[in-house]
Amino acid sequence: MFKIVEMEDSICILPHLFGNELEAAEIELSKKYANKVIRDVGLIICLYSVDAIEEGYVYTSQGSCHSKVRFKLISFLPNIGDTITGTVRYATSTSMYVSLEFFDDIIVPSTELRDPSWYNPENQMWCWKYEEGGEQHDLYYATGNPIRVRVQAVEFTKDKKTSDNSYLPPLIIHASVAEDGLGPPQW
């Protein structure tokens, strides 16, 4: 789910940071990568380490130094089948949306809820009709409560368009709660 990823990139070190190349690299790499999504790498959480800074080049009419840097980043990219505990953000008649505080784009479609489930438009929550011993119980996937989900698919959407030009997050995790051990922990 969380991984350390090795990368290499070129950075620009400003003249006032000459002699402090490590600090300059940390600043530039954090600005460039932190909280960004990279295809097949995931959501970059933070810079882990700067491993090497090569000698830089100063281009004509520039005072800055351009150097290649090898570094490690911490990324979030769950594998299919991973179980994640998050919080129910909100629900619509087609899906339930889950948050991990640092990542809000986990979608549980209505087809991946326990069966039989129904959507209550009055309180905007999904409900599982659980039957035990001839009695029926309405168990709600309540907004703001914790929920365990299983990752079904990870979708990178950078090059995709929506029909109505609405916002499409760069990384979407499709999940399910239709198995034993998933759903609200208090069940």
Side-chain angles (χ1 to χ4, degrees), residues 82-124:
D82 282 353
T83 301
I84 300 173
T85 301
T87 304
V88 178
R89 272 182 49 216
Y90 65 94
T92 66
S93 61
T94 59
S95 302
M96 185 169 51
Y97 296 83
V98 177
S99 172
L100 300 178
E101 291 185 26
F102 66 91
F103 184 79
D104 289 337
D105 299 313
I106 300 174
I107 300 172
V108 180
S110 59
T111 56
E112 293 295 332
L113 298 171
R114 298 297 295 234
D115 197 34
S117 288
W118 62 282
Y119 180 70
N120 184 339
E122 291 177 16
N123 61 12
Q124 297 180 338

Side-chain angles (χ1 to χ4, degrees), residues 116-137:
S117 288
W118 62 282
Y119 180 70
N120 184 339
E122 291 177 16
N123 61 12
Q124 297 180 338
M125 288 188 280
W126 279 93
C127 178
W128 175 34
K129 286 203 169 287
Y130 175 70
E131 192 171 322
E132 180 181 42
E135 291 184 34
Q136 268 196 345
H137 306 279

Side-chain angles (χ1 to χ4, degrees), residues 25-155:
E26 289 172 348
I27 291 168
E28 289 301 312
L29 293 169
S30 290
K31 280 195 295 190
K32 186 171 184 176
Y33 289 100
N35 207 26
K36 303 283 191 302
V37 172
I38 300 173
R39 182 176 289 283
D40 299 325
V41 173
L43 173 67
I44 304 302
I45 304 298
C46 66
L47 177 67
Y48 181 72
S49 67
V50 176
D51 299 330
I53 303 172
E54 293 181 9
E55 272 193 43
Y57 299 96
V58 177
Y59 296 111
T60 308
S61 76
Q62 289 186 358
S64 301
C65 176
H66 298 267
S67 300
K68 277 195 175 183
V69 182
R70 282 192 310 279
F71 55 96
K72 292 180 184 135
L73 300 167
I74 297 176
S75 76
F76 169 73
L77 182 63
N79 297 312
I80 293 172
D82 282 353
T83 301
I84 300 173
T85 301
T87 304
V88 178
R89 272 182 49 216
Y90 65 94
T92 66
S93 61
T94 59
S95 302
M96 185 169 51
Y97 296 83
V98 177
S99 172
L100 300 178
E101 291 185 26
F102 66 91
F103 184 79
D104 289 337
D105 299 313
I106 300 174
I107 300 172
V108 180
S110 59
T111 56
E112 293 295 332
L113 298 171
R114 298 297 295 234
D115 197 34
S117 288
W118 62 282
Y119 180 70
N120 184 339
E122 291 177 16
N123 61 12
Q124 297 180 338
M125 288 188 280
W126 279 93
C127 178
W128 175 34
K129 286 203 169 287
Y130 175 70
E131 192 171 322
E132 180 181 42
E135 291 184 34
Q136 268 196 345
H137 306 279
D138 287 344
L139 301 175
Y140 280 91
Y141 298 97
T143 304
N145 285 354
I147 188 167
R148 272 191 225 103
V149 300
R150 175 147 306 135
V151 176
Q152 300 290 88
V154 176
E155 178 183 9

